[in-house]
Amino acid sequence: MTFRVNLSEGIDIVTTVFPAWPLPTVPVAGSTDVFPVRHIYCVGRNYAEHAKEMGGDAAKEPPFFFTKPADAVVPVVAPAVGKVHYPLATKNLHHEIELVVAIGARGVELAPAAALDVVWGYGVGLDMTRRDLQNDMREKKRPWDIGKSFAEAAPIGPLHPVAAVGHPAAGRIWLDVNGVRRQQGDLSELIWDVAHTIHFLSRYYELLPGDLIFTGTPSGVGPVVTGDRLDGGIDGLGTLAVAIVPPAA
């Protein structure tokens, strides 16, 4: 649609207004409710073995963060298999299975002891990564956005409210590609647990309801190609399955 604004100087301005697009949402487990997504924060290198395979030692430094847009979300409810289009400009798309934290209250400069108070729930997610683009940016000391931030880069299963699952501090996390185990670890192996991750993150950002935090991935990340199927899960939080399909026409 369009509308015309007539300024006092007699100048007309014609403005085009586009309809608003739907707010991305994630289903809530065992319910018809959905969780509207505002923003996605991700923690880099939060498992020691993954930090080593990426050439670093996260145990020696505080956590660091990058972000994804809300349109990266691909909600998937088992037994359905979500679809992720192989993205543009990459020849090395990687999988990273992660615990996802859903924020349900405002939080700024939170102490670790208070950090879990803003958590609404937890889920299983994938941080899909254009690794060749990420590595190129890292070598040039430029931001990782082009490697991490793109549509369909954050498939996610249903969110489980804290009231139902508590605050998981341990539990198996795993990912198979075409039935072959690629990643396996335990939430207890997180270098920075959820409370401390939120503590650090809230020093830089005002956390608000609708925010998601991807908390890092175990070792074993690797490439996927069109036609691959990924199946992953976290004990107590269900499973997530996606298929890599050809690039969008």
Side-chain angles (χ1 to χ4, degrees), residues 144-170:
W144 288 4
D145 296 51
I146 198 168
K148 290 287 192 175
S149 180
F150 53 94
E152 302 182 357
I156 185 171
L159 294 173
H160 299 256
V162 168
V165 298
H167 295 285

Side-chain angles (χ1 to χ4, degrees), residues 15-244:
T15 302
T16 300
V17 179
F18 295 96
W21 50 86
L23 188 68
T25 60
V26 179
V28 175
S31 170
T32 58
D33 294 340
V34 294
F35 183 90
V37 178
R38 190 189 80 97
H39 198 71
I40 301 171
Y41 300 97
C42 304
V43 188
R45 301 180 184 175
N46 203 20
Y47 286 80
E49 293 304 313
H50 175 58
K52 291 177 183 177
E53 74 179 349
M54 298 304 293
D57 184 357
K60 293 183 178 180
E61 59 187 18
F64 64 92
F65 304 95
F66 54 91
T67 66
K68 293 177 182 279
D71 73 352
V73 165
V74 180
V76 184
V77 180
V81 178
K83 293 181 179 180
V84 172
H85 293 88
Y86 199 93
L88 295 171
T90 184
K91 295 181 180 179
N92 195 17
L93 178 66
H94 276 211
H95 57 77
E96 299 188 11
I97 189 76
E98 311 207 2
L99 171 70
V100 180
V101 180
I103 299 299
R106 178 180 179 271
V108 177
E109 297 185 337
L110 295 166
L116 295 182
D117 293 343
V118 304
V119 175
W120 185 89
Y122 296 88
V124 182
L126 279 164
D127 168 16
M128 303 304 294
T129 301
R130 298 189 286 197
R131 189 73 73 200
D132 45 358
L133 302 185
Q134 180 198 18
N135 288 343
D136 184 49
M137 292 299 102
R138 185 171 59 191
E139 290 174 5
K140 295 176 180 177
K141 300 187 184 301
R142 295 178 180 174
W144 288 4
D145 296 51
I146 198 168
K148 290 287 192 175
S149 180
F150 53 94
E152 302 182 357
I156 185 171
L159 294 173
H160 299 256
V162 168
V165 298
H167 295 285
R172 187 173 60 108
I173 177 172
W174 56 272
L175 180 79
D176 295 344
V177 178
N178 301 326
V180 177
R181 183 61 43 91
R182 286 272 191 93
Q183 293 184 264
Q184 181 160 306
D186 194 280
L187 299 182
S188 62
E189 298 168 353
L190 282 166
I191 296 170
W192 300 102
D193 63 15
V194 172
H196 283 85
T197 295
I198 292 173
H199 160 65
F200 280 107
L201 184 60
S202 69
R203 293 165 58 183
Y204 299 102
Y205 299 97
E206 178 186 21
L207 299 178
L208 292 170
D211 290 342
L212 298 177
I213 303 172
F214 281 59
T215 58
T217 194
S219 62
V221 300
V224 292
V225 298
T226 299
D228 283 347
R229 171 166 167 160
L230 287 64
D231 290 271
I234 299 174
D235 287 351
L237 297 177
T239 59
L240 171 63
V242 301
I244 308 300

